[in-house]
Amino acid sequence: MAMRILVVDDEAQIVRVLRGYLEQSGYVVLSAHDGREALRIARQEKPDLVVLDLMLPGLNGLDVIRALRKESEIPVIMLTARVEEADRLVGLELGADDYVTKPFSPREVVARVRAVLRRTHPETPPVEAEVLTLGALRLDSGRRTLDVDGRRVELTPSEFEILHLLMQAPGRVFQRSQLLDATQGVAYEGYERTIDTHIKNLRRKIEPSPRRPEYILTVHGYGYKLREE
């Protein structure tokens, strides 16, 4: 079962970016935008780790850590601004496991999440291979195969990674940069339109009518999504 990460930040864009990167890495992401909501979700959902901004409206991040530590040993990674060195030290003293300084690379946050979970859940195996199905599509991430209506379809590595990401979250809209990151390891600015070529090739391979796609849908001005059942 995938591990669950609670991301807490009052900036919606930060939450969206971290959600995208963490979900690409196989985690389930919960989110909150203030301290009280964070505590409610943590108590109710019991996530495996919390990524927590210190500068929150109302109940701040340090208060959230204090409350969490009275109730559990859930791992906490703080997000802090460079000027908050004193708060970082207080947060670590209160029991936070690590911190990341803003502005940060989303990849760094994912790496810190993995490192903390390895320390706190050493018995947890890596995310298992999965078989995903949607309509006539059947994708096996372990064997790296795709069957369309029972027929084996060969995909390039990039096509496979894009389709795998889309099939993990039907209905969710992915920006081109997120899809590019899944194929290249980093979203190279200026090269995002290469995704359009991969999508065109995927549609040619999986769609009954590539000109009128039923599976991979375009969200104009944003990116692509896989249809929901």
Side-chain angles (χ1 to χ4, degrees):
M1 181 180 297
M3 305 193 83
R4 300 191 299 165
I5 312 299
L6 172 59
V7 176
V8 187
D9 199 298
D10 60 333
E11 295 185 44
Q13 177 63 16
I14 289 179
V15 174
R16 282 195 296 269
V17 169
L18 290 181
R19 176 186 295 277
Y21 277 79
L22 287 164
E23 288 180 345
Q24 284 181 229
S25 299
Y27 300 106
V28 173
V29 178
L30 310 170
S31 64
H33 299 282
D34 62 62
R36 297 190 188 282
E37 184 184 21
L39 283 177
R40 178 184 61 78
I41 293 174
R43 289 163 174 159
Q44 180 176 317
E45 301 294 337
K46 302 190 186 312
D48 298 289
L49 182 144
V50 178
V51 177
L52 175 69
D53 184 27
L54 289 188
M55 298 297 290
L56 294 171
L59 201 66
N60 68 31
L62 294 177
D63 292 330
V64 173
I65 295 174
R66 284 191 186 94
L68 287 175
R69 281 296 167 263
K70 290 179 181 178
E71 304 168 7
S72 73
E73 293 300 317
I74 183 173
V76 176
I77 297 176
M78 299 179 291
L79 301 179
T80 76
R82 294 187 185 278
V83 297
E84 298 168 1
E85 182 176 1
D87 285 345
R88 290 203 301 270
L89 294 175
V90 172
L92 292 171
E93 290 171 358
L94 289 174
D97 298 89
D98 202 353
Y99 69 87
V100 178
T101 302
K102 292 181 177 181
F104 55 80
S105 159
R107 289 190 162 278
E108 180 185 8
V109 176
V110 174
R112 298 293 185 94
V113 166
R114 285 175 175 155
V116 171
L117 288 175
R118 278 197 300 269
R119 295 200 304 265
T120 57
H121 296 76
E123 75 288 352
T124 303
V127 177
E128 296 180 358
E130 55 189 344
V131 175
L132 303 171
T133 60
L134 181 72
L137 307 182
R138 184 181 187 277
L139 185 144
D140 188 322
S141 65
R143 294 184 172 87
R144 295 186 67 82
T145 59
L146 173 70
D147 293 325
V148 180
D149 204 16
R151 172 178 56 88
R152 181 63 46 86
V153 173
E154 298 299 327
L155 301 179
T156 68
S158 293
E159 291 165 358
F160 185 91
E161 295 301 339
I162 291 169
L163 186 59
H164 185 207
L165 183 60
L166 291 170
M167 289 189 68
Q168 286 179 310
R172 178 187 165 194
V173 182
F174 288 88
Q175 293 176 308
R176 289 179 176 85
S177 59
Q178 293 174 303
L179 296 173
L180 184 62
D181 186 72
T183 66
Q184 302 287 347
V186 63
Y188 293 103
E189 187 175 358
Y191 289 84
E192 295 178 6
R193 291 293 172 178
T194 60
I195 290 299
D196 295 341
T197 300
H198 292 313
I199 294 294
K200 180 180 179 180
N201 291 337
L202 271 171
R203 283 172 168 165
R204 180 172 52 81
K205 293 179 178 182
I206 72 172
E207 299 283 1
S209 175
R211 291 183 179 274
R212 288 189 286 273
E214 298 178 9
Y215 290 106
I216 302 177
L217 308 179
T218 301
V219 180
H220 293 288
Y222 196 89
Y224 298 97
K225 69 177 182 178
L226 198 72
R227 79 161 202 227
E228 296 181 80
E229 287 282 13

